[in-house]
Amino acid sequence: MKKTMLELNGVTMKFRMDVDKIMSLKEFATALVRGKIRYEEFTALENVSFKVEQGETIGLIGKNGAGKSTLLKVISGILKPTKGTVARYGSIAPLLELGAGFDSNLTGRENIFLNGAILGYGEAFLKEKYDEIVEFSELERFIDSPIRNYSSGMTARLAFSIATVVNPEILIVDEILSVGDAAFQGKSRKRMLELMGSGTTTLFVSHNIAQIKETCDRVIWLEQGRVKAVGNTEEVCEEYEGRDQ
Protein backbone atom coordinates (compact mmCIF):
# COMPACT_ATOMS: atom_id res chain seq x y z
CA MET A 1 0.00 0.00 0.00
CA LYS A 2 1.40 3.38 -1.07
CA LYS A 3 1.98 6.11 1.48
CA THR A 4 -0.18 9.26 1.35
CA MET A 5 2.04 12.33 0.95
CA LEU A 6 -0.60 15.07 0.72
CA GLU A 7 -4.18 15.18 1.95
CA LEU A 8 -6.53 18.14 1.54
CA ASN A 9 -9.95 18.19 3.18
CA GLY A 10 -12.50 20.92 2.47
CA VAL A 11 -9.91 23.60 1.70
CA THR A 12 -11.47 27.02 1.15
CA MET A 13 -9.47 30.20 0.57
CA LYS A 14 -11.18 33.61 0.73
CA PHE A 15 -9.67 37.06 0.28
CA ARG A 16 -11.00 40.47 1.27
CA MET A 17 -10.58 43.11 -1.45
CA ASP A 18 -10.94 46.87 -1.08
CA VAL A 19 -13.99 48.25 -2.85
CA ASP A 20 -12.70 51.85 -2.63
CA LYS A 21 -9.43 52.89 -4.22
CA ILE A 22 -7.46 54.33 -1.31
CA MET A 23 -4.30 55.98 -2.64
CA SER A 24 -2.48 56.98 0.55
CA LEU A 25 -1.89 55.93 4.15
CA LYS A 26 -3.65 59.13 5.29
CA GLU A 27 -6.80 58.23 3.32
CA PHE A 28 -6.70 54.71 4.75
CA ALA A 29 -6.34 55.97 8.35
CA THR A 30 -9.19 58.47 7.88
CA ALA A 31 -11.51 55.83 6.38
CA LEU A 32 -10.56 53.36 9.12
CA VAL A 33 -11.40 55.85 11.89
CA ARG A 34 -14.72 56.68 10.25
CA GLY A 35 -15.50 53.01 9.71
CA LYS A 36 -15.90 53.57 5.99
CA ILE A 37 -13.54 50.94 4.61
CA ARG A 38 -15.58 48.64 2.38
CA TYR A 39 -14.53 45.16 1.32
CA GLU A 40 -15.68 42.54 -1.12
CA GLU A 41 -15.06 38.88 -0.36
CA PHE A 42 -13.50 36.81 -3.14
CA THR A 43 -13.45 33.02 -2.94
CA ALA A 44 -10.34 31.69 -4.70
CA LEU A 45 -10.80 28.06 -3.58
CA GLU A 46 -13.93 26.33 -2.33
CA ASN A 47 -14.18 22.94 -0.64
CA VAL A 48 -11.14 21.39 -2.36
CA SER A 49 -10.38 17.83 -1.27
CA PHE A 50 -7.99 15.21 -2.67
CA LYS A 51 -5.12 12.88 -1.75
CA VAL A 52 -1.75 12.41 -3.44
CA GLU A 53 0.21 9.19 -3.00
CA GLN A 54 3.96 8.72 -2.81
CA GLY A 55 5.69 8.95 -6.18
CA GLU A 56 2.69 10.33 -8.07
CA THR A 57 3.01 13.24 -10.50
CA ILE A 58 -0.25 15.18 -10.41
CA GLY A 59 -1.11 17.79 -13.03
CA LEU A 60 -3.22 20.84 -12.13
CA ILE A 61 -5.09 22.36 -15.06
CA GLY A 62 -7.65 25.12 -15.49
CA LYS A 63 -8.14 28.55 -16.99
CA ASN A 64 -6.37 31.63 -15.66
CA GLY A 65 -8.00 32.56 -12.35
CA ALA A 66 -9.20 29.02 -11.65
CA GLY A 67 -7.22 28.92 -8.39
CA LYS A 68 -4.24 26.77 -9.39
CA SER A 69 -1.45 29.02 -8.10
CA THR A 70 -3.42 29.81 -4.93
CA LEU A 71 -3.82 26.08 -4.31
CA LEU A 72 -0.07 25.50 -4.68
CA LYS A 73 0.63 28.32 -2.19
CA VAL A 74 -1.81 26.79 0.30
CA ILE A 75 -0.19 23.36 -0.10
CA SER A 76 3.29 24.90 0.28
CA GLY A 77 2.27 26.65 3.50
CA ILE A 78 2.68 30.16 2.07
CA LEU A 79 -1.03 30.80 2.55
CA LYS A 80 -3.20 29.51 5.40
CA PRO A 81 -6.62 28.34 4.21
CA THR A 82 -9.72 30.12 5.48
CA LYS A 83 -11.32 26.73 6.12
CA GLY A 84 -10.25 23.10 5.80
CA THR A 85 -7.00 21.26 6.43
CA VAL A 86 -3.79 20.45 4.54
CA ALA A 87 -1.69 17.51 5.75
CA ARG A 88 1.84 17.16 4.38
CA TYR A 89 3.85 14.00 5.05
CA GLY A 90 7.30 14.92 3.77
CA SER A 91 9.74 17.72 2.97
CA ILE A 92 8.49 20.21 0.36
CA ALA A 93 10.39 22.19 -2.28
CA PRO A 94 8.06 24.84 -3.76
CA LEU A 95 9.25 26.12 -7.16
CA LEU A 96 6.73 28.94 -7.40
CA GLU A 97 7.95 32.55 -7.70
CA LEU A 98 11.63 32.03 -8.47
CA GLY A 99 13.84 34.61 -6.79
CA ALA A 100 11.01 36.04 -4.66
CA GLY A 101 13.14 35.72 -1.52
CA PHE A 102 16.22 37.44 -2.97
CA ASP A 103 17.65 40.73 -1.68
CA SER A 104 18.68 42.82 -4.71
CA ASN A 105 21.40 44.62 -2.72
CA LEU A 106 23.17 41.37 -1.82
CA THR A 107 25.47 39.40 -4.09
CA GLY A 108 24.58 36.11 -5.72
CA ARG A 109 26.80 34.36 -3.17
CA GLU A 110 24.99 35.99 -0.24
CA ASN A 111 21.59 35.27 -1.76
CA ILE A 112 22.40 31.56 -2.02
CA PHE A 113 22.57 31.46 1.78
CA LEU A 114 19.63 33.84 2.26
CA ASN A 115 17.28 32.07 -0.15
CA GLY A 116 18.50 28.66 0.99
CA ALA A 117 17.65 29.55 4.59
CA ILE A 118 14.15 30.65 3.50
CA LEU A 119 13.73 27.25 1.83
CA GLY A 120 14.76 25.56 5.08
CA TYR A 121 18.33 24.52 4.20
CA GLY A 122 20.96 24.68 6.95
CA GLU A 123 24.17 26.69 6.63
CA ALA A 124 26.38 23.58 6.68
CA PHE A 125 24.32 22.00 3.89
CA LEU A 126 24.51 25.16 1.76
CA LYS A 127 28.29 25.37 2.24
CA GLU A 128 28.57 21.75 1.13
CA LYS A 129 26.36 22.33 -1.93
CA TYR A 130 27.61 25.84 -2.78
CA ASP A 131 29.90 24.84 -5.67
CA GLU A 132 27.20 22.58 -7.12
CA ILE A 133 24.65 25.41 -7.04
CA VAL A 134 26.99 27.88 -8.72
CA GLU A 135 28.12 25.38 -11.36
CA PHE A 136 24.55 24.46 -12.29
CA SER A 137 23.51 28.12 -12.51
CA GLU A 138 26.48 28.90 -14.82
CA LEU A 139 26.97 32.19 -12.98
CA GLU A 140 30.54 31.75 -11.72
CA ARG A 141 31.68 35.10 -13.23
CA PHE A 142 28.83 37.04 -11.63
CA ILE A 143 28.37 35.30 -8.28
CA ASP A 144 29.96 38.16 -6.30
CA SER A 145 27.97 40.88 -8.09
CA PRO A 146 24.79 42.30 -6.55
CA ILE A 147 21.57 40.65 -7.73
CA ARG A 148 20.29 44.06 -8.89
CA ASN A 149 22.81 43.82 -11.76
CA TYR A 150 21.44 40.42 -12.89
CA SER A 151 19.01 40.01 -15.75
CA SER A 152 15.68 38.33 -14.93
CA GLY A 153 16.95 35.16 -16.61
CA MET A 154 20.12 35.10 -14.50
CA THR A 155 18.08 35.58 -11.32
CA ALA A 156 15.74 32.74 -12.27
CA ARG A 157 18.70 30.45 -13.04
CA LEU A 158 20.24 31.05 -9.62
CA ALA A 159 16.90 30.59 -7.85
CA PHE A 160 16.20 27.35 -9.74
CA SER A 161 19.67 26.03 -8.92
CA ILE A 162 19.17 26.70 -5.20
CA ALA A 163 15.67 25.21 -5.07
CA THR A 164 16.59 21.98 -6.88
CA VAL A 165 19.85 21.21 -5.08
CA VAL A 166 17.98 18.72 -2.89
CA ASN A 167 15.77 15.75 -3.70
CA PRO A 168 12.58 16.75 -1.85
CA GLU A 169 9.86 14.27 -0.96
CA ILE A 170 7.22 16.65 -2.38
CA LEU A 171 7.92 18.97 -5.31
CA ILE A 172 5.58 21.88 -6.13
CA VAL A 173 6.02 23.28 -9.65
CA ASP A 174 4.24 26.28 -11.17
CA GLU A 175 5.08 26.88 -14.84
CA ILE A 176 8.83 27.22 -14.31
CA LEU A 177 10.35 24.84 -16.86
CA SER A 178 11.23 27.75 -19.17
CA VAL A 179 14.13 29.13 -17.11
CA GLY A 180 16.81 31.21 -18.81
CA ASP A 181 17.97 30.75 -22.40
CA ALA A 182 17.27 27.74 -24.64
CA ALA A 183 20.31 25.78 -23.45
CA PHE A 184 19.49 26.30 -19.78
CA GLN A 185 15.83 25.48 -20.40
CA GLY A 186 16.89 22.07 -21.66
CA LYS A 187 19.10 21.54 -18.62
CA SER A 188 16.43 22.68 -16.15
CA ARG A 189 13.78 20.49 -17.82
CA LYS A 190 16.12 17.50 -17.57
CA ARG A 191 16.66 18.25 -13.88
CA MET A 192 12.91 18.45 -13.29
CA LEU A 193 12.31 15.12 -15.03
CA GLU A 194 15.11 13.54 -12.94
CA LEU A 195 13.38 14.71 -9.75
CA MET A 196 10.00 13.49 -10.98
CA GLY A 197 11.48 10.13 -11.92
CA SER A 198 13.33 9.60 -8.63
CA GLY A 199 10.20 8.84 -6.60
CA THR A 200 9.52 12.46 -5.67
CA THR A 201 5.81 13.24 -5.33
CA THR A 202 5.06 16.14 -7.68
CA LEU A 203 2.27 18.67 -8.18
CA PHE A 204 2.67 20.36 -11.52
CA VAL A 205 0.74 23.34 -12.95
CA SER A 206 0.97 24.02 -16.67
CA HIS A 207 -1.14 25.46 -19.48
CA ASN A 208 0.79 23.17 -21.84
CA ILE A 209 -1.57 20.19 -22.01
CA ALA A 210 0.90 18.16 -24.08
CA GLN A 211 3.43 18.56 -21.27
CA ILE A 212 0.81 17.50 -18.70
CA LYS A 213 0.00 14.38 -20.75
CA GLU A 214 3.70 13.55 -21.06
CA THR A 215 4.60 13.80 -17.37
CA CYS A 216 1.53 13.28 -15.16
CA ASP A 217 -0.06 10.14 -13.69
CA ARG A 218 -3.33 11.88 -12.77
CA VAL A 219 -4.89 15.27 -13.36
CA ILE A 220 -6.95 17.65 -11.20
CA TRP A 221 -9.07 20.13 -13.16
CA LEU A 222 -9.94 23.33 -11.27
CA GLU A 223 -12.75 25.61 -12.38
CA GLN A 224 -13.67 28.79 -10.48
CA GLY A 225 -11.91 27.51 -7.38
CA ARG A 226 -13.67 24.14 -7.31
CA VAL A 227 -12.51 20.68 -8.36
CA LYS A 228 -14.23 20.02 -11.69
CA ALA A 229 -12.67 16.58 -12.27
CA VAL A 230 -9.96 14.26 -10.92
CA GLY A 231 -8.73 11.19 -12.73
CA ASN A 232 -6.86 9.60 -15.61
CA THR A 233 -4.58 12.10 -17.35
CA GLU A 234 -5.72 11.38 -20.91
CA GLU A 235 -9.43 11.35 -20.04
CA VAL A 236 -9.46 14.55 -17.97
CA CYS A 237 -7.25 16.41 -20.46
CA GLU A 238 -9.50 15.42 -23.36
CA GLU A 239 -12.57 16.59 -21.43
CA TYR A 240 -10.79 19.87 -20.60
CA GLU A 241 -9.69 20.46 -24.20
CA GLY A 242 -13.22 19.82 -25.45
CA ARG A 243 -14.93 22.05 -22.88
CA ASP A 244 -15.67 24.91 -25.31
CA GLN A 245 -16.51 22.80 -28.33
Side-chain angles (χ1 to χ4, degrees):
M1 185 176 178
K2 287 189 176 181
K3 177 183 176 183
T4 298
M5 299 300 291
L6 281 171
E7 185 172 359
L8 280 71
N9 286 301
V11 168
T12 296
M13 188 74 222
K14 296 184 178 182
F15 297 98
R16 288 202 309 173
M17 300 185 301
D18 265 335
V19 173
D20 304 309
K21 292 185 177 179
I22 296 176
M23 306 301 292
S24 70
L25 182 59
K26 181 179 179 181
E27 285 182 50
F28 175 80
T30 301
L32 183 63
V33 169
R34 292 178 178 176
K36 292 186 177 181
I37 296 180
R38 296 182 300 159
Y39 297 99
E40 277 185 1
E41 194 169 70
F42 171 70
T43 302
L45 298 170
E46 188 168 1
N47 197 31
V48 174
S49 300
F50 60 84
K51 290 183 181 181
V52 181
E53 294 184 341
Q54 187 174 27
E56 278 194 298
T57 297
I58 304 296
L60 291 175
I61 61 174
K63 294 181 180 179
N64 288 331
K68 303 183 299 298
S69 294
T70 300
L71 179 58
L72 293 189
K73 289 177 181 178
V74 168
I75 292 170
S76 301
I78 296 170
L79 295 175
K80 183 178 179 180
T82 308
K83 288 169 59 178
T85 60
V86 180
R88 312 167 191 86
Y89 303 103
S91 59
I92 291 184
L95 303 188
L96 302 177
E97 298 168 3
L98 289 176
F102 283 173
D103 185 328
S104 62
N105 292 314
L106 299 180
T107 65
R109 181 189 300 270
E110 291 166 329
N111 272 291
I112 287 175
F113 290 93
L114 173 64
N115 194 243
I118 291 171
L119 292 173
Y121 307 158
E123 184 179 1
F125 174 82
L126 289 167
K127 285 180 177 178
E128 179 187 343
K129 295 290 185 177
Y130 174 82
D131 290 340
E132 183 180 333
I133 292 168
V134 175
E135 182 180 357
F136 191 91
S137 71
E138 302 174 2
L139 293 170
E140 292 92 340
R141 290 177 55 202
F142 310 100
I143 203 65
D144 288 312
S145 297
I147 287 287
R148 65 174 178 270
N149 296 333
Y150 285 22
S151 67
S152 58
M154 291 166 68
T155 303
R157 279 159 51 185
L158 183 59
F160 182 90
S161 302
I162 298 167
T164 59
V165 74
V166 295
N167 285 348
E169 293 172 283
I170 304 168
L171 183 66
I172 310 292
V173 186
D174 188 2
E175 295 278 19
I176 56 84
L177 294 184
S178 296
V179 179
D181 57 24
F184 196 85
Q185 284 178 26
K187 190 163 83 166
S188 63
R189 186 171 187 276
K190 181 182 178 183
R191 174 64 176 150
M192 292 298 307
L193 292 175
E194 285 174 355
L195 288 173
M196 291 177 181
S198 66
T200 297
T201 303
T202 307
L203 269 77
F204 176 42
V205 163
S206 180
H207 288 99
N208 186 331
I209 298 301
Q211 199 172 66
I212 291 284
K213 289 179 178 179
E214 177 188 355
T215 57
C216 297
D217 302 308
R218 287 191 297 138
V219 168
I220 298 169
W221 173 6
L222 286 182
E223 189 168 285
Q224 296 182 342
R226 289 176 168 270
V227 175
K228 173 80 172 178
V230 181
N232 174 271
T233 297
E234 196 71 29
E235 292 175 1
V236 175
C237 285
E238 285 184 9
E239 185 182 351
Y240 177 73
E241 289 178 307
R243 68 195 183 281
D244 296 324
Q245 297 179 7

